[in-house]
Amino acid sequence: MVSRCKVLANTVASMPQAPIIDIHAHFYPESFLKLLGEEGGSFGIRVRHDDPKGPVLEMKGGMLGPLQQAFTDLDIRIKEMKRKRVDIHALSLTRPMIYWADGVLGLKLAQTMNDAMAEAHQTFSHRFLGLAILPMQEPQLALEELERASRLPGIQGVYMGTNINGRDLSDPEFLPLFQRIEEMGLPVFLHPIRPLGPERLEPYNFYNLLGFPFETAVAAAHLIFSGVLDRFPRLTFCLPHVGGALPWLIGRMNRGYKIWEACREMKRKPSAYIRRFYYDTISHDPGTLIYLIRLVGAQRVMLGSDYCFEIGYNRPVEVVTRLASLSRADQGRILGANAARLLKIA
């Protein structure tokens, strides 16, 4: 793993302190958008270029965009990173992901995205890493792309939706893939998609404000209650948006474990698994972030911004440094040291 990021690892080693790493930074390569526009139409995906502010993605679940240049242009991104005092982005895809496609197109989209992230790393080796996307709708193809993408320069983790076309990540079909990811020592970063009950989440952008946090909690709960985390004790997952609703509901989950036999497929009570996950800092409330840090420990929390969506942080570093109750050492862990260790660049 480290050998694929030798330049970056050497840069990190020479720095007086750990670099500031944003582990929740979205990226839409031009090559990905081009393929999406050329072949997504038969699956209900359309890329419009009639808005001067940037491409607009139209899909069955709504619209995304216009996507500003900072999503696609690495030079602009680097200027933004400097302004925000962020040293490294762990690049990842987001909506519409690739699971809506058939296996053939899904694989092409994954390869295009992963190749673009590797190219970004090669061009700016001290600035970018990539989190590989896999065509999870076809688990065998996902395994094949995992083997290929994991050898690309700069690919240091796996990026995955919280469900795959309605299938939970605890589905037995995904177990061989998780086994291989564990063997490779790659962390898995989750992102919410297709929340439950979308018809009730249409007003007020509740799809994002409420649906995404609930969806993250559901996905994490499936990994806990199904025994996936027991089966793969060295497999690491990172949850976005401070874990969504999971940290707030862990006591209720413990109660279910105590009173209902159906909730005892795993070896221990749910709260025993809360530190099996890593979490980002995207809470938009200092009290919420402090609660998470006290619950799981500063060593399990990493900087995230949701770059560069307007729902994200414009000054992600200050979100951490303004927490007066947080020691300098814990700030350093959250700002970069934890991510550097997890991504194996330190």
Side-chain angles (χ1 to χ4, degrees):
M1 291 290 296
V2 175
S3 62
R4 294 205 307 276
C5 291
K6 188 174 182 180
V7 174
L8 181 54
N10 289 340
T11 300
V12 169
S14 66
M15 297 175 73
Q17 60 186 24
I20 295 177
I21 303 172
D22 184 348
I23 56 91
H24 192 151
H26 298 302
F27 179 42
Y28 290 97
E30 293 284 1
S31 56
F32 179 85
L33 292 177
K34 182 175 184 293
L35 179 59
L36 200 62
E38 290 174 347
E39 302 192 30
S42 59
F43 297 93
I45 302 287
R46 182 183 173 211
V47 181
R48 285 181 19 224
H49 294 278
D50 55 356
D51 192 314
K53 295 180 181 179
V56 175
L57 308 185
E58 293 183 343
M59 60 201 90
K60 294 176 182 177
M63 186 181 74
L64 183 65
L67 301 176
Q68 56 185 285
Q69 278 188 293
F71 274 120
T72 59
D73 189 306
L74 295 178
D75 292 314
I76 293 176
R77 180 182 291 256
I78 289 173
K79 290 178 182 178
E80 284 288 288
M81 291 167 67
K82 290 178 178 177
R83 182 180 68 83
K84 297 178 180 184
R85 296 166 44 210
V86 172
D87 298 307
I88 299 169
H89 270 183
L91 302 173
S92 61
L93 188 60
T94 183
R95 296 175 61 206
M97 301 293 274
I98 62 173
Y99 309 136
W100 45 266
D102 62 16
V104 174
L105 179 56
L107 180 60
K108 287 174 66 176
L109 288 165
Q111 291 173 339
T112 300
M113 181 68 190
N114 295 335
D115 288 347
M117 291 188 290
E119 183 179 347
H121 171 75
Q122 289 180 299
T123 306
F124 301 102
S125 58
H126 62 299
R127 285 291 189 183
F128 300 122
L129 299 171
L131 306 176
I133 189 76
L134 306 175
M136 296 288 293
Q137 63 271 49
E138 293 287 348
Q140 183 55 44
L141 292 180
L143 267 170
E144 293 173 13
E145 177 58 11
L146 174 66
E147 296 292 343
R148 189 195 75 91
S150 65
R151 295 191 293 269
L152 294 174
I155 298 298
Q156 297 296 106
V158 175
Y159 191 68
M160 197 174 291
T162 46
N163 71 84
I164 312 301
N165 298 331
R167 281 194 293 172
D168 290 297
L169 299 181
S170 54
D171 190 302
E173 277 201 78
F174 301 136
L175 296 181
L177 183 65
F178 286 141
Q179 180 179 345
R180 185 63 182 130
I181 293 172
E182 181 187 51
E183 291 169 354
M184 290 178 168
L186 292 169
V188 178
F189 291 75
L190 300 184
H191 197 281
I193 56 171
R194 298 183 62 180
L196 296 166
E199 65 283 350
R200 296 187 61 204
L201 299 174
E202 289 182 7
Y204 317 111
N205 212 3
F206 281 169
Y207 185 93
N208 189 305
L209 297 177
L210 301 177
F212 279 8
F214 295 157
E215 175 63 26
T216 297
V218 171
H222 270 281
L223 294 171
I224 293 170
F225 281 84
S226 69
V228 168
L229 296 184
D230 289 327
R231 185 166 183 154
F232 305 110
R234 294 178 290 108
L235 186 58
T236 300
F237 289 91
C238 179
L239 303 179
H241 314 129
V242 292
L246 178 71
W248 304 94
L249 298 176
I250 200 66
R252 187 173 180 86
M253 293 181 189
N254 279 346
R255 179 60 178 172
Y257 174 83
K258 183 176 181 179
I259 64 175
W260 291 321
E261 185 176 352
C263 293
R264 291 195 289 270
E265 289 186 19
M266 64 288 208
K267 293 180 180 179
R268 297 175 292 168
K269 62 182 181 179
S271 59
Y273 298 88
I274 200 78
R275 296 191 181 194
R276 279 290 306 276
F277 299 98
Y278 280 81
Y279 305 80
D280 73 21
T281 55
I282 304 170
S283 65
H284 299 287
D285 178 75
T288 300
L289 183 54
I290 284 293
Y291 167 76
L292 175 73
I293 294 168
R294 289 173 177 167
L295 180 68
V296 303
Q299 69 276 12
R300 308 300 290 189
V301 181
M302 300 181 292
L303 183 73
S305 72
D306 224 337
Y307 180 95
C308 57
F309 287 108
E310 58 187 359
I311 190 67
Y313 285 140
N314 190 43
R315 297 283 183 180
V317 174
E318 293 177 11
V319 170
V320 177
T321 58
R322 285 178 176 173
L323 295 178
S325 62
L326 205 60
S327 70
R328 285 288 183 90
D330 282 344
Q331 287 184 16
R333 292 184 181 98
I334 293 170
L335 290 173
N338 293 339
R341 183 181 67 253
L342 183 65
L343 296 167
K344 295 182 173 63
I345 58 172

